[in-house]
Amino acid sequence: MSNPKIEILKSEILSDNWYVLRKITYNYLKKDGNWETQIREAYDRGNGATILLYNKKAKTVILTQQFRLPTYVNGNETGMMVEACAGLLDKDNAEECIRRETEEETGYQISAVEKLFEVYMSPGSVTEIVHFFAAEYTKDMKVNDGGGIQEEQENIEVLELNFDQAYNMIASGEIKDAKTIMLLQYAKINGLV
């Protein structure tokens, strides 16, 4: 952290229950040359990775569906979300993470992955950087049923969808997950499927 316009004064942990929520007090040098004290909260859940699995020949993609409590308490009547496979890095690098998550969640053991980009998904409140990947899959890469890890209570349903159907689910509101929308749009723009 080397921005001369920012001076961190204090960082307090408000919660360390699931992940870490901090209240940070800092000085910010404004354009007029005056310093202003600001207070913000930042939620640190670690960094993550996500992937779009696509089959160019069959024109399909693999997505997942699972219950997401935050969406349920904010207007999603069922709480179910259709998403691209994703997970937290934990102590892995991004590529190791996404290979592990792909097999755990979808049951596919992928060979080659392509790093697309990385993004701060909600920079106003969450510290997380998400690394975006894409990989081709074939039926012979399926090594198990997927569905996530029992201990993590994921209960993931694996969906194989026609690419056009998945892409149209953005406009219909059936896909409302930002990382999934970004990956599907990347695939469309770059002609992956």
Side-chain angles (χ1 to χ4, degrees):
M1 294 189 291
S2 61
N3 187 340
K5 297 179 179 182
I6 305 294
E7 295 176 347
I8 303 291
L9 302 175
K10 182 169 51 169
S11 179
E12 307 167 67
I13 294 178
L14 299 180
S15 175
D16 191 6
N17 186 23
W18 191 253
Y19 300 111
V20 179
L21 177 63
R22 288 185 174 86
K23 177 180 174 183
I24 301 169
T25 305
Y26 61 97
N27 285 334
Y28 179 83
L29 183 60
K30 299 187 311 181
K31 287 182 183 181
D32 67 6
N34 291 311
W35 287 91
E36 178 178 75
T37 301
Q38 298 182 0
I39 300 171
R40 299 289 186 272
E41 292 178 4
Y43 190 56
D44 185 354
R45 58 185 304 270
N47 295 326
T50 186
I51 191 166
L52 181 67
L53 298 177
Y54 66 94
N55 184 307
K56 194 171 189 78
K57 185 177 177 184
K59 299 190 180 319
T60 55
V61 292
I62 299 293
L63 298 176
T64 63
Q65 183 172 16
Q66 64 182 307
F67 178 75
R68 296 296 198 180
L69 178 68
T71 74
Y72 186 67
V73 298
N74 192 25
N76 180 356
E77 289 186 19
T78 65
M80 300 303 288
M81 293 288 289
V82 175
E83 305 176 34
C85 171
L88 293 176
L89 301 187
D90 298 323
K91 294 182 186 343
D92 292 335
N93 69 43
E95 187 173 322
E96 290 169 349
C97 166
I98 205 56
R99 288 179 182 280
R100 178 191 72 238
E101 290 294 331
T102 298
E103 188 170 336
E104 289 174 5
E105 291 189 6
T106 71
Y108 285 88
Q109 192 173 66
I110 51 176
S111 49
V113 298
E114 178 186 0
K115 174 87 179 265
L116 305 176
F117 48 85
E118 52 189 68
V119 175
Y120 287 100
M121 291 298 290
S122 188
S125 59
V126 181
T127 61
E128 179 184 39
I129 294 172
V130 177
H131 302 264
F132 285 69
F133 293 89
E136 281 198 72
Y137 77 92
T138 58
K139 295 286 185 195
D140 62 333
M141 293 178 180
K142 186 88 166 158
V143 295
N144 64 57
D145 291 335
I149 296 178
Q150 186 72 27
E151 304 85 66
E152 294 180 10
Q153 301 173 314
E154 291 179 305
N155 302 307
I156 295 169
E157 180 183 353
V158 181
L159 308 173
E160 183 173 35
L161 301 170
N162 171 279
F163 177 76
D164 289 335
Q165 176 190 0
Y167 191 78
N168 291 332
M169 290 170 72
I170 298 169
S172 71
E174 295 168 89
I175 292 180
K176 291 185 176 183
D177 174 65
K179 68 185 178 303
T180 306
I181 292 170
M182 293 165 73
L183 283 167
L184 290 170
Q185 288 178 335
Y186 181 93
K188 182 82 162 181
I189 292 166
N190 291 283
L192 294 184
V193 183

